[in-house]
Amino acid sequence: MWKIASVSDMQMFVGIIISGIISACLTGLVLKLAKKRGVLPIVRVRDTHKTPLPRIGGVAIFGAFLITVLIFRFIDPPAVAGFGFPFAVLGFSIDKRLLALLTGGLVLVLAMLYDDLRGLKAYQKLLTQVVVALIVIVGGIGVSYINNPFGGPEWRLDGWQIPISLGSAVYHLVVLADVLVVLWLVLLMNVLNFSDGIDGLAGSIGVISLGVLAILSSRVPVLQESTALIARIGVGAVLGFLLWNLPPARIFMGDSGSMFLGFLIGVLAIIAGAKLATTLVVLAIPILDALFVVCVRIIKNQNPFTTADQSHLHHKFLQVGLSVRQTLTLLVSFSLLFGLAALQNDGLAKARAFIVAIIVVAMTMVSVQLLIQSKKRKQI
């Protein structure tokens, strides 16, 4: 059973405001320091901006998120302790799941900050993603079952368990559930990273996703107010950053920001009653776009994760003549529509929404590609 903390609407609102203000200030500070120290990476082939801009804004997003969570932890402990897994480390009492979320986020952000500044190889990024997913699993965050969208019995994932002795403690490796968590978090971290291709896109999609999870976490039967508060703190942290990242962007979140955003969404989706299907619908456009690009690169015998090109949907919109603002508005509108569809409690309705998303993405991809080819023929 979940231990329910009493978190008022005012606390939820304050969480957004505090994290938003801290994020906006930290982002401005990071931007100033990056310019002062010359941390301005060269413009890459896949980039849509013309002049070098800092790509370390993720530090500000995570910093604002962490600081705001700790503020609530010390000022109003029950507000962020409603997961029901009390834990003490070095004399400091904190919820075990919350500790796993913060620890995994910190490891991920530090590793990807190094990537933003110095560069990591693809396998090193993947290894980092797997490590933070394992931190989450050790923290007790997992999926024991998945609801059947067709109304039948739920699909259990906790049948195959392997006991592992660690001193006097015995930990059970829940094979299917733990593998699913790793694959799920790796997927979302990469999807949000892929979507960070134009000003404000990854952040806007992240706000919609976290907003939907916050709303669902506040509803019956989930009713996890602490989860809702954490999601809203994430919303505020991203909104504060977006003040500097909307077109024309002055700073980008980089891998440290986009992967942390995917990590946060993925973890909260699991905690909020395994809302994986809900999250799939909200992120249907970027997920399908990422899968399409990966498949095309594999067909072309290219590395799907290291190839630098402009093959994503947002790049295609720019190639047919849409501006960055128009492209952002269009894609965010799609995400918002699917976010509203994801708020439906009916599992079958969510399945239908995802099928619609597949059709929409496929038709859009084909239409845009035909427009690009027509434009090229006219230029010839």
Side-chain angles (χ1 to χ4, degrees), residues 152-204:
E154 60 191 23
W155 299 331
R156 303 297 305 185
L157 301 173
D158 53 1
W160 181 12
Q161 299 187 19
I162 301 176
I164 300 176
S165 298
L166 297 175
S168 59
V170 178
Y171 173 76
H172 287 84
L173 178 64
V174 187
V175 180
L176 293 179
D178 291 346
V179 169
L180 176 61
V181 170
V182 173
L183 294 176
W184 171 250
L185 292 180
V186 170
L187 170 67
L188 290 203
M189 282 185 271
N190 283 293
V191 164
L192 267 294
N193 186 39
F194 279 1
S195 69
D196 188 28
I198 62 172
D199 305 1
L201 182 57
S204 298

Side-chain angles (χ1 to χ4, degrees), residues 288-347:
L288 294 170
D289 174 53
L291 292 176
F292 175 82
V293 170
V294 167
C295 290
V296 169
R297 289 175 181 175
I298 292 175
I299 292 173
K300 292 181 178 180
N301 200 28
Q302 298 173 336
N303 188 315
F305 301 106
T306 60
T307 301
D309 58 22
Q310 294 192 347
S311 56
H312 286 285
L313 188 57
H314 49 266
H315 291 131
K316 298 295 184 182
F317 284 144
L318 295 176
Q319 291 169 22
V320 298
L322 294 182
S323 67
V324 172
R325 286 183 181 275
Q326 291 170 333
T327 300
L328 176 64
T329 301
L330 185 59
L331 290 175
V332 170
S333 297
F334 275 132
S335 295
L336 186 57
L337 287 174
F338 285 114
L340 293 174
L343 290 174
Q344 302 297 318
N345 291 323
D346 185 0

